[in-house]
Amino acid sequence: MIDNSIITLSEKSVKTNISFLRSKFGDKVRISAVVKANAYGHGIEQVVPVFEKYGIDHFSVFYYSEAVRVYNCLAKPRSIMLMGWLSDENIKDAIEKGIEFFVFSIERLNTAIKYAKELNLKAKIHLEIETGMNRSGLDLKEFDCAIDILKENLSYIELSGFCTHLAGAESVSNHLRIQNQLLKYNEMLAQLEVNDLIPKYRHVANSAAAFVYPETRMDLVRIGIMLYGFWSSTEVFIQYINNQNNKIDPLKRILGWKSQIMAIKEVKSGEFVGYGISYLAQNNITTALIPVGYSVGYSRSLSNKGRVLIRGHRCSVIGVVNMNMIIVDISNIKQVEAGDEVILIGKQGKLEIKVSAFSDLSDELNYEILAHLSESITRTVVKK
Ligand SMILES: *Cc1c(COP(=O)(O)O)cnc(C)c1O
């Protein structure tokens, strides 16, 4: 291993997850793979071609830079949808490349039309409306205004989508709020259609909504976390699995993360290990040093809590997580040497370290742990 650690990505798991999602959604619902935040930490350049290989032809990102990275690593031109931040300077480029983007303000709509005219091309837009999340989206007044602008500029605009985002479909406590959002969405959709503006895709669902509220699937679903093999929340998983005879999780995690032992050391009983007084050796112990720390995404909140796998044994992280290193207790392992494989996430023999165990220990979301995995870590796709 040349680098401090390696992330492996399982092609077989991608295939399993995509076919499971397809079997649930049917042929009429298009899947947009959400690959923002470097494909949830998995790596855009590595994961996007694998998604494409298994039939995904629509990709969603947040930033323009991500859209360009997806654009550059696709084998064929596919739909790319930018849901977030796009500077005025980049709008022109986006239109030229055929990148679709959310429009959530009148200014952005006008800018898009201005550049589309200059280029003599159509800007492909998704009108995003405010339905109750109070994050981004056109309110009623802006929506009326947008309808008028659209009607006058149909030669420069393609209405690729009409969308909103639901405020927390992964928890039943948000049920009422989401029902209200859907009512509002449908009212505004009717208003759009009365004006002869027919969006190509109506879409509101992320992973959780697509499972908990099947009526939200509409024409397209924006699926992030489930493609990577995780349920949005335990609640969503329980709701799904309760209705199945077979209680096996149909999703497979794609990502594994491993490193190696950098050095081994004996520590005497009564000594502190690492910075400060965070860990006191209660016995004579043997420790191993691993060259990963919070700078590559191994959260500091795993100090004295994290677990890794070495030679088929679970070992505890002792002391604080450093910027580039962790120390683990290997006293219980008989034969062990520098260079031995260390599993940070994934399987070794019969044991497994799951991202969820990680997040339970550190009180972070799966999403958060994944998104923090540094882009500097080498990523490789493996077949199985
Ligand atoms: C991130 C995101 C999604 C995907 O959410 P998952 O829970 O990962 O499926 C969908 N829509 C929007 C607008 C998003 O920002």
Side-chain angles (χ1 to χ4, degrees), residues 7 11 44 81 119 135 166 169 180 186 221 246 271 279-280 298 345 354 374:
I7 284 175
E11 183 169 330
I44 286 182
M81 178 167 86
L119 292 164
R135 195 171 68 172
L166 302 173
N180 285 331
N186 284 320
V221 286
N246 151 357
E271 293 281 316
Y279 187 85
L280 174 68
Y298 199 90
I345 295 174
K354 292 184 181 167
S374 165

Side-chain angles (χ1 to χ4, degrees), residues 28-41:
K28 296 208 173 62
V29 177
R30 196 158 175 199
I31 297 176
S32 182
V34 180
V35 295
K36 64 191 182 197
N38 198 27
Y40 291 48

Side-chain angles (χ1 to χ4, degrees), residues 220-239:
L220 177 142
V221 286
R222 308 184 300 254
I223 304 293
I225 201 81
M226 291 185 83
L227 275 170
Y228 306 99
F230 300 90
W231 292 84
S232 317
S233 65
T234 310
E235 232 180 284
V236 177
F237 174 58
I238 290 173
Q239 199 213 24

Side-chain angles (χ1 to χ4, degrees), residues 17-33 56 205-224 226-227 231 240 251:
N17 297 341
I18 292 176
S19 45
F20 169 68
L21 293 168
R22 280 219 191 291
S23 73
K24 291 292 147 199
F25 301 153
D27 309 334
K28 296 208 173 62
V29 177
R30 196 158 175 199
I31 297 176
S32 182
I56 298 290
N206 62 359
S207 299
F211 269 76
V212 181
Y213 307 102
E215 72 275 20
T216 64
R217 291 174 190 164
M218 303 182 189
D219 305 314
L220 177 142
V221 286
R222 308 184 300 254
I223 304 293
M226 291 185 83
L227 275 170
W231 292 84
Y240 172 79
L251 294 174

